[in-house]
């Protein structure tokens, strides 16, 4: 028998034996170490894993003990459901990871699959179905207390009334899903170790409440009428409110006419470091009274990305946010004009914040659209913003301007004074960041 030693040796290597001395009839695959066989199986697609059973009697049922099951279905593949049933039926060992991507209707089979998985200490669950064939997920996996990572796409499910949560869940990713009532709040609040949460393409009637004491990153993209975040350890957040849905304007305005939306949504993010506000979320934050000071100072916030509609309330809200971020280093703003903006002239020159804003700012990126009547006011507001930043940011290194039109505003920026001696102004058209750099050499006018 030939023994294969995979450990490193400090001894002088021996000369390789000639081929004449090797037993060509010896089946080396049969006698591979068990751990090496397992590593081989884990590298193969599931169909190839099953086919290894024909190699020899020592391989015939080895695949039934692999802990990771990954099922990927092609759009033309038939018998997919039957194959999954057969694999789960003969599988003998514990299942740690179960991933399934199906293009067909699995509603009749998912219940029995989840029943089998609920009897294992599964830690990683990933299910993805077809857009026009969303699958109803029974909450049989509520007994899978060892779950650490869950990724569900194109699913419909209810959170049971008596739901005790997932005590070890750290990552939850839900996309193209439906969860009626306050299911999201109940699900998230019952996962005490949750670190990463993604909610994409959903509709939440009423308030979207995220109560997660250990949440570190949050990514939301959907439709909701109201939002409340109580996530004291949150470091990175991206919130996109679908601008197509305008119901939130009426509901939020009526609900919180005496309360600030920016306070409700962001007032508890004491540890936030990176914040991205996109879609209509800035419009939502601007509803209700805009406070002079938020209940929290974002001392750790170093990066902000903001889509901002040009309007008095929206600019005032942006200033409120920036005023409470004294250590901001990177700022990205995309200006856009829509409807009647009102009078926005001079809003960026607020005396109340001039002395304490942008003292740590190093990089600014501004995008705006030029070329129609509405965007003319957008251009003026952007120019006022540029002037305001350039004369109040002593550490500014780069001011990048992307103009979706002509370079009229950029040429006017060349005449603006600036505080930072090392500031470079970069212009690009149509979003192209590969552009020539123009360096300011003139300081602030005396």
């Amino acid at each position: 028998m030939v023994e294969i030693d995979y450990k490193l040796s400090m001894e002088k290597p021996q000369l390789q034996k000639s081929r004449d001395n090797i037993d060509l009839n010896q089946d080396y695959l049969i006698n591979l170490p068990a751990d090496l066989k397992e590593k081989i199986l884990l590298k193969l697609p599931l169909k190839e894993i099953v086919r290894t059973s024909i190699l020899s009697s020592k391989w015939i049922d080895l695949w039934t003990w692999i802990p990771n099951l990954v099922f990927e279905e092609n759009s033309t593949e038939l018998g997919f459901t039957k194959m999954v049933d057969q694999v789960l039926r003969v599988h003998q060992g514990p299942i740690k990871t179960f991933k399934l991507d199906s293009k067909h209707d699995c509603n009749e089979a998912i219940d029995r699959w989840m029943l089998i998985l609920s009897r294992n200490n599964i830690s990683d669950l990933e299910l993805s179905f077809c857009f026009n064939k969303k699958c109803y997920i029974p909450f049989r996996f509520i007994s899978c207390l060892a779950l650490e990572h869950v990724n569900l796409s194109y699913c419909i499910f209810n959170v049971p009334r008596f739901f005790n949560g997932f005590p070890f869940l750290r990552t939850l990713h839900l996309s193209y899903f439906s969860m009626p009532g306050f299911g999201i709040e109940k699900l998230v609040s019952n996962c005490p170790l949750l670190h990463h949460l993604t909610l994409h393409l959903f509709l939440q009637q009423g308030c979207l409440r995220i109560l997660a004491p250990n949440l570190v990153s949050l990514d939301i993209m959907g439709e909701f009428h109201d939002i409340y975040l109580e996530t004291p350890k949150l470091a990175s957040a991206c919130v996109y409110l679908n601008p197509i849905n305008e119901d939130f304007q009426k509901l939020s305005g009526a609900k919180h006419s005496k309360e600030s939306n920016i306070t409700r949504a962001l007032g508890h993010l004491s540890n936030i470091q990176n914040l991205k506000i996109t879609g209509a979320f800035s419009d939502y934050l601007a509803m209700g009274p805009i406070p002079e000071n938020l209940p929290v100072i974002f001392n750790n916030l170093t990066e902000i990305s903001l889509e901002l509609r040009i309007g008095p309330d929206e600019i005032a809200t942006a200033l409120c946010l920036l005023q409470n971020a004294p250590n901001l280093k990177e700022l990205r703003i995309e200006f856009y004009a829509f409807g009647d903006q009102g009078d926005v002239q001079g809003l960026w020159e607020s005396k109340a914040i001039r002395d304490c804003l942008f003292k740590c700012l190093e990089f600014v990126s501004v995008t705006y659209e030029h070329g129609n009547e509405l965007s003319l006011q957008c251009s003026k507001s952007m120019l006022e913003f540029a002037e305001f930043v350039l004369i109040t940011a002593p550490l500014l290194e780069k001011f990048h301007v992307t103009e979706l039109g002509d370079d009229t505003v950029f040429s006017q920026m060349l005449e603006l004074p600036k505080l930072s001696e090392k500031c470079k102004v970069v212009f690009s058209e149509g979003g192209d960041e590969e552009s020539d750099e123009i360096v300011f050499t003139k300081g602030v006018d005396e």
Side-chain angles (χ1 to χ4, degrees), residues 123-181:
S123 60
D124 193 341
L125 177 65
E126 184 173 325
L127 304 174
S128 180
F129 301 96
C130 188
F131 172 77
N132 58 351
K133 295 181 180 179
K134 288 185 179 180
C135 188
Y136 178 80
I137 306 297
F139 244 74
R140 288 188 181 275
F141 65 94
I142 60 175
S143 58
C144 302
L145 298 181
L147 274 173
E148 296 182 10
H149 308 283
V150 172
N151 189 332
L152 305 178
S153 299
Y154 301 106
C155 298
I156 304 172
F157 50 91
N158 289 310
V159 179
R161 180 179 179 184
F162 300 103
F163 173 61
N164 295 322
F166 303 121
F168 302 108
L169 191 66
R170 293 181 176 273
T171 303
L172 177 61
H173 185 123
L174 304 177
S175 58
Y176 295 96
F177 69 97
S178 299
M179 191 182 301

Side-chain angles (χ1 to χ4, degrees), residues 329-343:
K329 292 184 177 181
E330 296 187 13
L331 174 61
R332 293 173 174 83
I333 295 186
E334 181 176 344
F335 290 98
Y336 68 95
F338 181 78
D340 184 15
Q341 293 103 22
D343 187 11

Side-chain angles (χ1 to χ4, degrees), residues 106-381:
C106 296
N107 277 286
E108 294 183 1
I110 192 66
D111 190 77
R112 58 179 178 267
W113 295 344
M114 295 308 302
L115 178 60
I116 295 174
L117 295 177
S118 67
R119 296 169 179 169
N120 289 264
N121 289 325
I122 182 172
S123 60
D124 193 341
L125 177 65
E126 184 173 325
L127 304 174
S128 180
F129 301 96
C130 188
F131 172 77
N132 58 351
K133 295 181 180 179
K134 288 185 179 180
C135 188
Y136 178 80
I137 306 297
F139 244 74
R140 288 188 181 275
F141 65 94
I142 60 175
S143 58
C144 302
L145 298 181
L147 274 173
E148 296 182 10
H149 308 283
V150 172
N151 189 332
L152 305 178
S153 299
Y154 301 106
C155 298
I156 304 172
F157 50 91
N158 289 310
V159 179
R161 180 179 179 184
F162 300 103
F163 173 61
N164 295 322
F166 303 121
F168 302 108
L169 191 66
R170 293 181 176 273
T171 303
L172 177 61
H173 185 123
L174 304 177
S175 58
Y176 295 96
F177 69 97
S178 299
M179 191 182 301
F182 297 96
I184 298 177
E185 176 184 350
K186 192 171 185 180
L187 177 60
V188 172
S189 61
N190 281 280
C191 301
L193 297 183
L194 190 63
H195 280 67
H196 308 283
L197 175 62
T198 300
L199 304 173
H200 278 184
L201 300 167
F202 66 98
L203 171 61
Q204 171 68 48
Q205 299 287 348
C207 183
L208 176 62
R209 294 172 60 89
I210 305 296
L211 311 177
N214 290 298
L215 196 66
V216 175
S217 68
L218 175 65
D219 188 356
I220 296 176
M221 181 175 64
E223 301 181 30
F224 49 86
H225 298 146
D226 197 8
I227 188 170
Y228 177 79
L229 303 178
E230 189 169 333
T231 51
K233 293 185 180 180
L234 191 65
S236 177
C238 176
V239 182
Y240 176 96
L241 176 60
N242 192 344
I244 299 177
N245 179 20
E246 298 181 356
D247 290 342
F248 78 92
Q249 296 181 357
K250 298 178 181 178
L251 293 174
S252 297
K255 265 185 186 178
H256 311 298
S257 58
K258 297 182 180 180
E259 188 175 10
S260 167
N261 278 5
I262 189 173
T263 300
R264 284 173 52 79
L266 308 179
H268 298 277
L269 307 185
S270 56
N271 190 53
I272 193 69
Q273 301 171 24
N274 186 316
L275 179 62
K276 187 174 183 180
I277 296 172
T278 62
F281 192 50
S282 62
D283 293 344
Y284 165 83
L285 296 178
M287 294 178 186
I290 302 171
E292 294 184 2
N293 296 296
L294 293 175
V296 61
I297 299 296
F298 306 117
N299 288 313
N300 298 321
L301 184 56
T302 58
E303 298 181 27
I304 295 179
S305 182
L306 178 64
E307 287 187 13
L308 186 64
R309 184 170 69 92
I310 299 301
D313 293 338
E314 288 75 15
I315 293 179
T317 302
L319 286 172
C320 176
L321 177 62
L322 296 174
Q323 184 178 358
N324 286 269
N327 299 311
L328 187 66
K329 292 184 177 181
E330 296 187 13
L331 174 61
R332 293 173 174 83
I333 295 186
E334 181 176 344
F335 290 98
Y336 68 95
F338 181 78
D340 184 15
Q341 293 103 22
D343 187 11
V344 297
Q345 187 174 1
L347 289 180
W348 290 110
E349 300 177 359
S350 174
K351 178 65 176 178
I353 61 175
R354 177 181 293 275
D355 297 331
C356 62
L357 199 62
F358 301 145
K359 65 180 181 180
C360 298
L361 194 62
E362 299 175 356
F363 173 80
V364 175
S365 176
V366 176
T367 302
Y368 74 104
E369 184 174 359
H370 180 82
N372 56 57
E373 184 177 352
L374 288 176
S375 63
L376 289 176
Q377 191 168 1
C378 179
S379 301
K380 293 179 181 179
S381 184

Side-chain angles (χ1 to χ4, degrees), residues 2-9 33:
V2 178
E3 181 178 354
I4 302 176
D5 186 6
Y6 292 90
K7 296 182 179 180
L8 295 177
S9 174

